[in-house]
Amino acid sequence: MKTKTPVNYMGEILTVVVLTLVWIVYSEKADFWTVVTGIGFSILGLLLTNIFVLKQDYRDNYHVSLFAMLKYIPFLFIQIYLSGFDAIYRVFTRRVNVGVVDIKTDLPDDYLRSLLATAITLTPGTVTLNQEDKDMTIIWLNCETSDPVEAGETIKGSFERILMPGKGSP
Amino acid sequence: MIEIGRNIFALIAFGSAVIFGIGGIIGLFRFPDAYSRLQAGALCGTTAVISIFIGSLILAPTWAIAARIILLLFFFLVSSPTGAHIVARFAWNSDIQPWRPADQRRTGSDDRSKE
């Protein structure tokens, strides 16, 4: 498969570094041979993934930046706790209004959409039921509205803005 | 002093894990339908487990153990919503209707008959 963009191996190098670090953590050693075998298996894993798993050049398909992830993960933890307390409040007061809403996302690729679906499911109060292309079906513990735009903004607004390529602010 | 601070933060994390865990179990019995029970069970459980991981991270004696806890946390963040999603999707595909109060009629996208 030919790439349209100039070949840049930075992504591959970063992946090998991360995989090698995981290898070192699980090996409980950081000596020369552990690092060498870690790098070897990381390159092998990366090659096999590129050959057998990824059908196209993933650089053209996955638009996620490290900077966006650094913002996404702390924000995700804060949201998990905030909505966790809200869920606890609803458990004790039994104030639930369960509803299913259809929302639309503007995220351009499947990887970002699955990250968004994961974030929606991880935050207590909402679970992703289904996702087809840009349409998502969400079960909402405190269904305030069935309007797709309004519900979408409440459920996914901040996450989507962080994940959106070229933006990265809530 | 640092040791006391670590213990206090770990205690807060474990304490919140207990609160979320108990809340999830109570929600499992108090909520009216499969979807809301799933929310209580799976998602309060998620917050409880994350709190336990954070508490363990604070108390981790070495960087190697801390790094392993972070990896476990990462895998948990990937697997937990997948499990919740599979159960919810199965319920949805089995035509289980979300619970609504008796005085509210089902409207909009809740009405599966439109599909």
Side-chain angles (χ1 to χ4, degrees), chain A residues 138-154:
Chain A
I138 310 286
I139 180 103
W140 197 2
L141 193 60
N142 179 35
C143 190
E144 293 161 7
T145 172
S146 59
D147 178 58
V149 179
E150 214 176 312
E153 179 55 35
T154 313

Side-chain angles (χ1 to χ4, degrees), chain B residues 10-97:
Chain B
L11 204 65
I12 292 168
F14 290 134
S16 59
V18 170
I19 292 168
F20 283 119
I22 291 173
I25 293 166
I26 293 171
L28 211 59
F29 289 99
R30 275 177 71 87
F31 280 163
D33 71 342
Y35 297 110
S36 47
R37 283 176 186 164
L38 176 79
Q39 303 262 4
L43 304 178
C44 287
T46 300
T47 322
V49 173
I50 288 174
S51 300
I52 289 170
F53 276 132
I54 291 172
S56 311
L57 200 60
I58 294 167
L59 288 180
T62 62
W63 284 105
I65 292 173
R68 234 166 293 169
I69 292 169
I70 291 171
L71 276 180
L72 287 174
L73 182 59
F74 173 76
F75 289 129
F76 179 75
L77 284 178
V78 176
S79 61
S80 168
T82 312
H85 162 70
I86 289 169
V87 176
R89 192 183 158 94
F90 180 79
W92 181 244
N93 287 338
S94 306
D95 280 344
I96 296 174
Q97 293 294 327

Side-chain angles (χ1 to χ4, degrees), chain A residues 154-166:
Chain A
T154 313
I155 293 171
K156 66 168 172 65
S158 316
F159 284 116
E160 195 179 53
R161 279 191 284 278
I162 288 178
L163 291 170
M164 186 66 80

Side-chain angles (χ1 to χ4, degrees), chain A residues 80-118:
Chain A
I80 286 172
Y81 272 93
L82 285 180
S83 28
F85 283 114
D86 182 63
I88 291 285
Y89 166 76
R90 290 186 192 287
V91 163
F92 288 109
T93 57
R94 213 165 179 267
R95 282 188 186 169
V96 287
N97 179 23
V98 187
V100 179
V101 286
D102 296 314
I103 61 169
K104 225 176 211 335
T105 173
D106 297 323
L107 292 172
D109 67 62
D110 274 346
Y111 183 63
L112 290 177
R113 286 197 283 266
S114 64
L115 272 181
L116 179 67
T118 305

